[in-house]
Amino acid sequence: SPRTYRPVSHPTVRRAADDVKQILSRTTSTKPDVPPLRYLGDRQLMQPQPPVTADEVSSAAFQARLEMLAKAQIKYGGIGIAAPQVGWWARVLHFGSEEPNPRYPHADLVLPQFWINPTIVEASNETNWMWEGCLSVPGMRGWVERPRKIILRGLDGNGCEIEASLSGLAARVAQHEHDHIDGVLFPHRVPDPRFLVPQASM
């Protein structure tokens, strides 16, 4: 029978954000260090990543890596981060923050959330353009077109099946990070090399 996915309504997003805080507040003797970033040109970064098995999600080692990923996003100052960017070769994302991101002061707040094995199951025909940057492509910006709305389906940090309708900045960040787990970086999305520019020129 078809699976029923829990829609990510505002209260569910709030619970997901609380789950992130709980993971970050844990005190264990096996806290992993935050690894260095991987950059454009890294062979493994630019490969599709393998899915996570259901049994892995509940393991202490996996939960510790979730904690590491969220802390890596904070350490490196991103609005989102994908596991491969710190050398974790898995289909795992984290994006959002409890506080507004200074790079996007007028955007709606995107609460923190984990996505495991995410799949974009629907995308709008309506698109928008935005200058994107990336922790793995430092100092550069690219003019990238993406669908304005998407439906994302996958597992949360506890291994529960969820589905979310995302729009605006949340949809763009989710798509950007989803690209990472397929080995795609934003320069691959730029329609013309003239629209790939140094951040210092903006």
Side-chain angles (χ1 to χ4, degrees):
S1 61
R3 291 176 174 175
T4 300
Y5 287 81
R6 178 159 53 95
V8 180
S9 60
H10 180 75
T12 306
V13 171
R14 179 70 265 170
R15 288 196 298 273
D18 290 341
D19 289 343
V20 173
K21 285 199 293 187
Q22 182 181 10
I23 289 171
L24 287 174
S25 67
R26 289 174 184 161
T27 54
T28 68
S29 59
T30 57
K31 282 180 179 281
D33 293 331
V34 173
L37 286 167
R38 302 292 184 113
Y39 297 106
L40 179 68
D42 183 295
R43 182 180 61 82
Q44 288 177 284
L45 178 66
M46 302 174 74
Q47 298 293 323
Q49 302 303 322
V52 176
T53 65
D55 291 342
E56 287 179 81
V57 178
S58 60
S59 71
F62 189 92
Q63 292 295 311
R65 281 186 149 182
L66 288 182
E67 177 187 5
M68 174 276 294
L69 189 64
K71 289 187 173 181
Q73 180 184 316
I74 295 168
K75 175 178 178 178
Y76 296 122
I79 193 170
I81 195 166
Q85 291 182 270
V86 285
W88 179 13
W89 313 118
R91 301 184 75 81
V92 181
L93 319 174
H94 179 273
F95 59 84
S97 172
E98 290 282 355
E99 302 294 334
N101 190 296
R103 290 164 54 192
Y104 308 98
H106 304 298
D108 292 337
L109 185 66
V110 180
L111 291 175
Q113 50 203 280
F114 290 111
W115 285 87
I116 300 165
N117 298 339
T119 301
I120 298 171
V121 296
E122 189 173 319
S124 65
N125 292 325
E126 183 183 0
T127 64
N128 57 21
W129 293 81
M130 186 173 175
W131 288 104
E132 290 192 10
C134 182
L135 298 174
S136 293
V137 191
M140 299 298 292
R141 289 289 183 269
W143 190 237
V144 178
E145 181 183 26
R146 294 190 189 273
R148 194 173 74 83
K149 296 180 180 180
I150 63 168
I151 294 178
L152 193 64
R153 183 180 291 171
L155 306 178
D156 66 12
N158 294 314
C160 297
E161 295 171 333
I162 53 172
E163 183 177 281
S165 177
L166 304 175
S167 61
L169 182 62
R172 178 168 292 271
V173 174
Q175 290 173 82
H176 177 109
E177 303 307 337
H178 188 275
D179 271 353
H180 273 296
I181 60 174
D182 285 334
V184 176
L185 279 69
F186 81 83
H188 303 139
R189 298 286 189 191
V190 174
D192 186 287
R194 292 173 294 180
F195 294 103
L196 187 63
V197 300
Q199 183 176 344
S201 70
M202 302 185 69

